[in-house]
């Protein structure tokens, strides 16, 4: 059985298919149809709902796309939808602002916008325009009417985040922690199909061994697409989002270790401390809804050639910690990806954590090149870690995505950089060597020739940026 709160109502569910999405549950089982389906693939935000979770003594409100969120992952959380915001018939301040400033146009995307603005209202008392844009980047308005929506969001600045949920926050917190105390783990099942929620690594390993065909699911931002787009019906799903060991972030003097089930949003502040350019790039990975759900372990396990974190982890020389029936193993990340979407992960194994060495002598440059600034997949992602000694390149790792069948290092270009000055002249041989490292393909995102040119130019960009850390002169601030 799983238990969660649907607004203030206690819900127990047991007999449900493991691949039921929250959107499907809302619209068909409980018949609350305010939440809309646009794309069913996490792209448009029409289905945005808010999940409240009891964390560190308070409730944390986060948006997710309900079309790619699996019902089982709600265990121990509060699910809030657009139906729940009114108080005694009066609109929530966020809804009222949208009415007053004419933010609701087509009406279909509006519930999603409202829920994104509601989460912003709960999390940020004085949102800037950048905060608003960040909160709304995953909500598509096809009639391009963003201005009144942004105006509505900005009109709420400083109005105080007090609402019906504030009044019940303490009791909601106790109810959620009570659920997890009573039922730390959970499951749903339907016939011979099941969704399991282990709470520690031993349980997870035992379940993966018991169900060898099971799919491990973390944020489900990728796996759900096989359900909603390819109509696959997995028999067993095992959820990593409650496995304590996989949820930790450990900072030591020499490394930063991030649990595989830590979400992008949850690791942002640690990354910001040690690797600002990585943290900055992450703000362009998917949308806020995707970052609130998607995990580092999922991104690495996916082994997508266009995933955004593997190139950075390659440049940072990360280590992948894996647990399987063989025991615990570690893999340097440059040996982990073995082919298109293939890794060295053993059968019935899982990634426990990703460990990044802290190397203060290295400068990290991270670039994501995509057609749109927000919520878009990379054509090329590049990350360079470079240490200079006496003005010459002494240590270098160049990680790339979008250039080959796997995320990969540019070993020839690295070799060509060693001992050179990190200048326009000094990188010429390395730029040339990139053509030996990679023969990128043409696809919908970019041509192979474009990818190679961009990769070469990004090296130059790093050279130009080394004395211009604010990057202002190089930032694209206006689009035609
Ligand atoms: C709208 C949208 C935009 C996106 N934009 C981007 C983007 O800009 N850049 C980008 O890189 N990605 C993007 N993605 C892809 C996706 O968000 C990432 O790949 C994400 O990191 C996957 O993590 P997850 O936790 O959601 O994984 P899941 O979907 O839960 O799982 C993905 C795969 O990883 C496996 N897995 C998960 N955890 C583990 C583990 N601990 N051990 C072993 N295997 C594991 C699962 O079995 C599954 O095969 C986007 C997705 C969507 C829907
Ligand atoms: S329906 Fe488009 S993001 Fe969910
Ligand atoms: S207001 Fe809905 S698409 Fe623009």
């Amino acid at each position: 059985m799983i238990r969660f709160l649907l607004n203030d109502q206690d819900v127990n569910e047991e007999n449900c298919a493991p691949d039921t999405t929250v959107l499907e549950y809302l619209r068909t089982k409980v018949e609350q149809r305010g939440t809309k389906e646009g794309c069913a693939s996490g792209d448009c935000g029409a289905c945005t709902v808010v999940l409240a979770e009891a964390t560190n003594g308070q409730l944390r409100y986060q948006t997710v796309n309900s079309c790619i969120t699996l019902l089982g992952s709600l265990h121990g959380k509060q699910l809030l939808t657009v139906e729940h915001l009114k108080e005694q018939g009066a609109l929530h301040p966020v809804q009222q602002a949208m009415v007053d400033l004419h933010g609701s146009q087509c009406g279909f995307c509006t519930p999603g916008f409202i829920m994104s603005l509601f989460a912003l209202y709960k999390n940020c008392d004085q949102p800037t325009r950048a905060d608003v844009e960040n909160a709304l980047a995953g909500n598509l308005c096809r009639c391009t009417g963003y201005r009144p929506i942004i105006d509505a969001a900005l009109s709420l600045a400083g109005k105080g985040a007090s609402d019906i949920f504030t009044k019940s926050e303490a009791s909601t917190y106790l109810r959620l922690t009570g659920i997890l105390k009573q039922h730390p783990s959970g499951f749903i099942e339907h016939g011979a199909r099941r969704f399991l929620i282990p709470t520690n690594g031993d349980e997870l390993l035992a379940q993966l061994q018991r169900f060898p065909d099971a799919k491990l699911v973390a944020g489900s931002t990728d796996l759900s697409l096989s359900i909603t787009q390819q109509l696959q019906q997995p028999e067993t799903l095992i959820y990593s989002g409650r496995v304590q060991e996989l949820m930790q972030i450990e900072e030591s003097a020499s490394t930063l270790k991030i649990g595989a089930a830590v979400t992008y949003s949850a690791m942002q502040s640690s990354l910001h401390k040690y690797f600002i350019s990585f943290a900055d790039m992450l703000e362009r990975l998917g949308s806020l809804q995707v970052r609130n759900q998607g995990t580092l372990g999922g991104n690495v396990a996916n082994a997508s050639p266009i995933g955004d974190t593997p190139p950075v982890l390659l440049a940072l020389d990360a280590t992948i910690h894996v647990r399987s029936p063989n025991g615990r193993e570690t893999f340097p990340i440059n040996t982990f990806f073995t082919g298109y979407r293939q890794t060295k992960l053993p059968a019935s194994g899982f990634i426990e954590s990703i460990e990044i060495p802290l190397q203060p002598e290295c400068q990290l440059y991270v670039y994501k090149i995509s057609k749109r600034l927000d919520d878009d997949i990379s054509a090329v992602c590049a990350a360079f870690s470079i240490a200079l000694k006496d003005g010459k390149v002494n240590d270098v790792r160049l990680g790339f995505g979008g250039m080959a069948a796997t995320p990969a290092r540019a070993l020839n270009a690295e070799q060509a950089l060693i001992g050179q000055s990190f200048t326009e002249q000094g990188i010429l041989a390395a730029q040339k060597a990139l053509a030996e490292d990679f023969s990128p393909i043409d696809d919908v995102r970019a041509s192979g020739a474009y990818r190679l040119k961009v990769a070469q130019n990004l090296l130059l960009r790093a050279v130009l940026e080394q004395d211009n850390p604010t990057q202002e002169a190089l930032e694209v601030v206006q689009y035609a």
Side-chain angles (χ1 to χ4, degrees):
M1 179 185 68
I2 58 162
R3 285 186 63 191
F4 61 95
L5 300 180
L6 178 58
N7 189 19
D8 56 359
Q9 187 195 336
D10 257 305
V11 179
N12 300 336
E13 289 292 353
E14 187 164 329
N15 182 12
C16 289
D19 49 8
T20 309
T21 64
V22 171
L23 180 65
E24 188 186 348
Y25 177 79
L26 284 169
R27 292 184 61 85
T28 59
K29 182 133 189 198
V30 294
E31 300 190 356
Q32 294 188 1
R33 300 200 177 93
T35 307
K36 303 293 186 238
E37 177 169 19
C39 63
S41 58
D43 286 298
C44 75
C47 67
T48 303
V49 295
V50 168
L51 299 182
E53 245 186 293
T55 321
N56 300 330
Q58 59 184 35
L59 288 184
R60 186 185 59 187
Y61 295 88
Q62 290 195 309
T63 48
V64 296
N65 291 312
S66 61
C67 67
I68 53 169
T69 303
L70 296 173
L71 180 66
S73 69
L74 294 186
H75 183 59
K77 299 176 189 167
Q78 183 188 32
L79 169 62
L80 298 170
T81 73
V82 73
E83 281 95 344
H84 307 140
L85 300 193
K86 271 196 195 170
E87 184 178 12
Q88 294 174 348
L91 293 179
H92 186 276
V94 163
Q95 294 172 306
Q96 193 59 54
M98 283 284 273
V99 172
D100 293 345
L101 289 145
H102 312 289
S104 175
Q105 294 148 79
C106 77
F108 193 81
C109 65
T110 308
F113 273 102
I114 293 279
M115 294 315 288
S116 287
L117 292 181
F118 166 66
L120 181 67
Y121 180 82
K122 297 301 289 175
N123 292 324
C124 183
D125 185 39
Q126 292 283 352
T128 61
R129 191 180 167 101
D131 294 327
V132 172
E133 287 177 0
N134 184 46
L136 296 181
N139 292 83
L140 297 192
C141 171
R142 297 155 195 84
C143 64
T144 71
Y146 281 98
R147 189 194 48 75
I149 301 172
I150 291 172
D151 287 348
L154 290 172
S155 76
L156 292 161
K159 295 264 167 77
S162 175
D163 58 11
I164 31 167
F165 302 100
T166 319
K167 290 173 202 156
S168 56
E169 197 156 317
S171 70
T172 304
Y173 185 90
L174 287 177
R175 288 170 74 187
L176 292 179
T177 47
I179 290 175
L180 290 174
K181 222 175 194 173
Q182 234 183 324
H183 304 281
S185 59
F187 67 92
I188 51 178
E189 61 187 353
H190 187 69
R193 302 173 64 214
R194 58 197 75 78
F195 185 104
L196 305 175
I197 308 175
T199 57
N200 60 54
D202 291 345
E203 267 177 46
L204 172 58
L205 187 60
Q207 291 175 353
L208 284 168
Q209 285 182 273
R210 180 161 170 226
F211 300 104
D213 294 329
K215 288 249 178 233
L216 182 59
V217 59
S220 73
T221 59
D222 196 75
L223 188 128
S224 286
L225 303 191
S226 66
I227 297 166
T228 65
Q229 307 299 300
Q230 293 160 17
L231 309 183
Q232 288 179 16
Q233 297 191 322
E235 200 172 277
T236 303
L237 290 172
I238 305 179
Y239 179 53
S240 65
R242 293 258 165 236
V243 177
Q244 283 315 309
E245 299 94 311
L246 272 58
M247 307 295 291
Q248 313 293 328
I249 298 181
E250 292 168 37
E251 298 176 21
S252 75
S254 56
T255 67
L256 172 66
K257 199 171 182 183
I258 301 174
V262 171
T263 64
Y264 297 122
S265 293
M267 69 189 196
Q268 256 310 20
S269 66
S270 298
L271 286 188
H272 215 265
K273 219 188 281 179
Y274 300 107
F275 308 109
I276 286 190
S277 49
F278 191 2
D280 283 351
M281 185 278 283
L282 218 58
E283 291 197 357
R284 292 188 47 218
L285 190 155
S287 58
L288 185 57
Q289 290 93 322
V290 169
R291 295 192 294 277
N292 287 339
Q293 252 180 296
T295 64
L296 186 60
N299 206 231
V300 171
N302 247 345
S304 164
I306 45 174
D308 282 334
T309 66
V312 193
L313 296 172
L314 281 164
L316 290 172
D317 209 17
T319 299
I320 311 299
H321 292 267
V322 161
R323 190 170 171 194
S324 77
N326 312 332
R328 286 198 162 87
E329 290 171 89
T330 55
F331 298 95
I333 189 159
N334 64 339
T335 65
F336 193 63
F337 305 113
T338 53
Y340 180 69
R341 288 184 165 260
Q342 304 285 317
T343 69
K344 284 207 173 138
L345 188 70
S348 299
F350 59 92
I351 300 174
E352 279 190 313
S353 62
I354 293 98
E355 188 166 13
I356 307 173
L358 303 178
Q359 297 169 302
E361 70 282 8
C362 296
Q363 176 76 34
L364 181 70
Y365 304 85
V366 182
Y367 304 110
K368 170 169 175 161
I369 305 298
S370 55
K371 287 186 179 173
R372 283 193 318 249
L373 192 67
D374 291 311
D375 202 1
D376 201 1
I377 302 289
S378 295
V380 175
C381 184
F384 312 141
S385 170
I386 293 172
L388 300 180
K389 194 172 174 196
D390 303 327
K392 306 278 185 211
V393 175
N394 185 46
D395 190 16
V396 56
R397 283 177 301 276
L398 308 177
F400 282 93
M403 298 292 286
T406 65
R409 274 179 51 189
L411 297 176
N412 289 308
E414 287 177 9
Q415 207 49 47
L417 272 177
I418 291 286
Q420 300 295 321
S421 58
F422 197 51
T423 59
E424 286 189 55
Q425 279 301 314
I427 62 166
L428 286 177
Q431 286 179 306
K432 241 181 170 176
L434 279 171
E436 295 161 32
D437 284 308
F438 300 120
S439 307
I441 57 164
D442 299 340
D443 68 13
V444 286
R445 293 197 175 83
S447 67
Y450 172 85
R451 288 186 153 108
L452 186 57
K453 190 76 193 159
V454 161
Q456 291 166 331
N457 285 345
L458 287 176
L459 257 187
L460 175 60
R461 179 170 175 155
V463 166
L464 298 175
E465 272 180 5
Q466 65 187 320
D467 299 322
N468 175 24
T470 66
Q471 303 181 12
E472 269 168 26
L474 294 162
E475 212 56 69
V476 178
V477 290
Q478 187 137 21
Y479 291 86

